[in-house]
Amino acid sequence: MAKRWTLLIPAPTTWLNANQRHNHWSARSGPTKLWREAAEIRARAAGIPAMKRATITAIVHRADLRKDCDAHNRYPTVKAAIDGIVDAGVLEDDCDRFLVSLTIRAGDRVDKKKHPLGMLGLLVTDLGEEQ
């Protein structure tokens, strides 16, 4: 049976959105770094072991449901969080050889008082070494 870990990452800053158009890389670098670091810290704290191959389901939990509702538009945020998991040593890299599949979906609404910017959930499933 596959082993699974769930990481819940309270949004450390605004969400990166695939619809955003930045003229310069520096406009994205700050939020990207914060998401990456938050995921690394959570992965280390959860004690997720190194794995050869995995799948990840990213679950976008928003606090305000009146705003855009396309969970897949949060891909840049999810990418930064996956890079943080790699930094934590859970996966060697996020290329297709190690990260077999990625799914992004909407999750339940979170309490705006507790998580004003929402929360990202990552369900990491260890597939073992076999292909």
Side-chain angles (χ1 to χ4, degrees):
M1 179 168 235
K3 291 186 181 180
R4 293 185 174 146
W5 290 264
T6 301
L7 293 179
L8 296 175
I9 306 165
T13 187
T14 58
W15 293 73
L16 299 161
N17 186 321
N19 289 334
Q20 294 168 327
R21 303 292 184 255
H22 297 287
N23 294 330
H24 197 267
W25 63 267
S26 63
R28 294 182 310 270
S29 67
T32 300
K33 181 179 180 187
L34 290 173
W35 277 103
R36 186 174 183 155
E37 289 173 346
E40 178 183 5
I41 290 166
R42 293 285 174 154
R44 288 185 189 281
I48 302 176
M51 51 189 79
K52 298 289 185 185
R53 297 170 54 249
T55 65
I56 295 178
T57 299
I59 306 160
V60 177
H61 297 278
R62 295 175 322 185
D64 187 351
L65 296 179
R66 294 173 296 154
K67 296 183 180 176
D68 118 333
C69 58
D70 298 337
H72 59 275
N73 277 342
R74 303 301 185 209
Y75 172 74
T77 299
V78 174
K79 168 67 173 145
I82 290 171
D83 288 342
I85 289 173
V86 170
D87 294 344
V90 173
L91 291 172
E92 187 174 325
D93 190 47
D94 61 350
C95 68
D96 296 340
R97 187 168 135 210
F98 303 106
L99 180 56
V100 175
S101 73
L102 170 63
T103 303
I104 302 172
R105 67 176 180 85
D108 296 329
R109 180 183 172 277
V110 293
D111 184 341
K112 194 170 186 169
K113 289 180 182 175
K114 291 182 182 176
H115 304 288
L117 297 176
M119 182 181 307
L120 177 63
L122 296 177
L123 177 60
V124 183
T125 303
D126 185 352
L127 297 177
E129 294 188 35
E130 295 187 27
Q131 294 189 15

